[in-house]
Amino acid sequence: MPQQTECPSCSEPMDPEDAYCGSCGTSRDGRAAPGAMPNGWAAARGEAVPQQRGPVCVHCGQPQVTADGYCEGCGGAQPRPRDHMEKALGGVAGVSDRGVRHHRNEDSFTVAATSLPGGDPVVVAVVCDGVSSSDRPDEASATAVDSASESLLTSLEAGRDATEAMRAAIADAAKAVADLATDGAGPTRPDLNAPACTYVSAIAAGGRVTIGWVGDTRAYWIPDDRAAAEPFRLTQDDSWAARMVEAGLMNEAEAYADPRAHAITGWLGADAEEVVPHTLDFTPHVPGVVLICTDGLWNYAEAATDLAYYVRPDARTEPLATAQTLVKFAVAAGGHDNITVAVLPIDPPAVEEAEEAERTPTALDLPVVTAPPAGQAAPGDGGNGGNGDDYEDYEPTLPDIPVIGSPAAPLPPAVPPTPPTPPAAPPAPPAVPPVPAAAPPVPPQPPHPPTA
């Protein structure tokens, strides 16, 4: 069977019957196509030979890619810088991908690291998802990420509390996105389809984690040992489905199966009625990772336990590989939306021995006190045969109190329930009084005789 060959000029495949390349017109032996201006002719006339300029097309290999991102040779669209992005620093990593169905990536993210005034390291991750139905959603998400990350780093380096820094960053991001509506690059009415995005970010410092969000971008906690500690979701969506579940009108499965499930009720943008930032602060006591992601990922594994199944066991030590694996999973599952995820490894703070000794014990930490056998002295009894003279001023603590139901404090005998009293018989209907007999008719009297 005849085999295809390659064009000697542009390396495009050529069928055996092709005399010239269909892409660049070069003949099979390397000569220019008929009608093409030979290089020697232009050189002989002292004219410069026009050179093809531009990046090389990823589809046909010709350097004819124009500024709009399309190849003039084959018409193929070229990958944009935001179609796939990866970034990793010490202690944090993130990956974003366009997916399969969308023509551009409207997600944006960043990861950063800095130091607190005392020298302790702190890492920051910000993820934003542009609202596709708004104008310029890709610009909205990028603007929010840039503004929020700059605000977070500035506040943390100045020693500001993490929760306060988070709220200030969300406010700064909201203002920056709202300003896009009046920059002259969009519709004349800023309240009409203004640029908008959702937001989530995380701060990790010294084992303490602070989360902030607006919209339906999410944060999850995934421990290393998922048999001893259960993964869980840290955020609550600002969405129609979440409100239905919160109001008790639907269960979660019904709400998220509804076509209106992903209609958001909170976002950043000029047409947002009120931006209500949500924040959460916690200190995990086991090692693990915090994931922040867009719905392009969690749509395929919504529950924390489901998402944890796809998280690598070594996620805490390999955050970039973990983010790459999760993005590949979402693309393989359909890639219906843009996919972005950032991974923050978390190590619990070390507890010093002195702090452990000074810690106030709880009821579960106290030893259980049991009664000694009859005739045997209790510990500290002084050999008094258990007469209790040494405990004259002793007040029992919680473990000294016998457990109800134990031999020391048996339950009282059960009293059989009283049988229910049968309902009383209904009263008899009232007797009908007898009808009195009719009086006998009075016979007619003869008329009186007339008087004189």
Side-chain angles (χ1 to χ4, degrees), residues 258-327:
D258 192 281
R260 298 165 290 180
H262 293 285
I264 57 175
T265 58
W267 62 90
L268 306 183
D271 55 355
E273 295 181 0
E274 181 182 7
V275 177
V276 181
H278 311 285
T279 58
L280 171 70
D281 187 282
F282 77 106
T283 302
H285 297 288
V286 294
V289 295
V290 170
L291 302 181
I292 60 174
C293 61
T294 61
D295 57 352
L297 173 63
W298 64 255
N299 270 336
Y300 299 107
E302 184 178 344
T305 51
D306 295 340
L307 184 60
Y309 177 81
Y310 299 98
V311 176
R312 295 166 53 113
D314 59 351
R316 188 164 50 89
T317 56
E318 297 290 341
L320 179 59
T322 300
Q324 292 170 338
T325 301
L326 291 171
V327 169

Side-chain angles (χ1 to χ4, degrees), residues 184-208:
T188 55
R189 289 183 54 186
D191 60 334
L192 181 63
N193 208 30
C197 68
T198 60
Y199 174 98
V200 66
S201 62
I203 303 171
R208 177 187 175 189

Side-chain angles (χ1 to χ4, degrees), residues 216-222 230-243 245-246 250-258 261-262 291 293-311 326 329-330 333:
D216 62 351
T217 40
R218 290 184 177 181
Y220 291 86
W221 165 247
I222 311 294
E230 187 173 358
F232 57 89
R233 196 174 88 199
L234 300 172
T235 55
Q236 180 70 27
D237 296 345
D238 290 322
S239 67
W240 180 91
R243 288 198 173 186
V245 174
E246 184 179 2
M250 291 182 175
N251 61 39
E252 194 166 3
E254 294 172 342
Y256 281 98
D258 192 281
H262 293 285
L291 302 181
C293 61
T294 61
D295 57 352
L297 173 63
W298 64 255
N299 270 336
Y300 299 107
E302 184 178 344
T305 51
D306 295 340
L307 184 60
Y309 177 81
Y310 299 98
V311 176
L326 291 171
F329 152 70

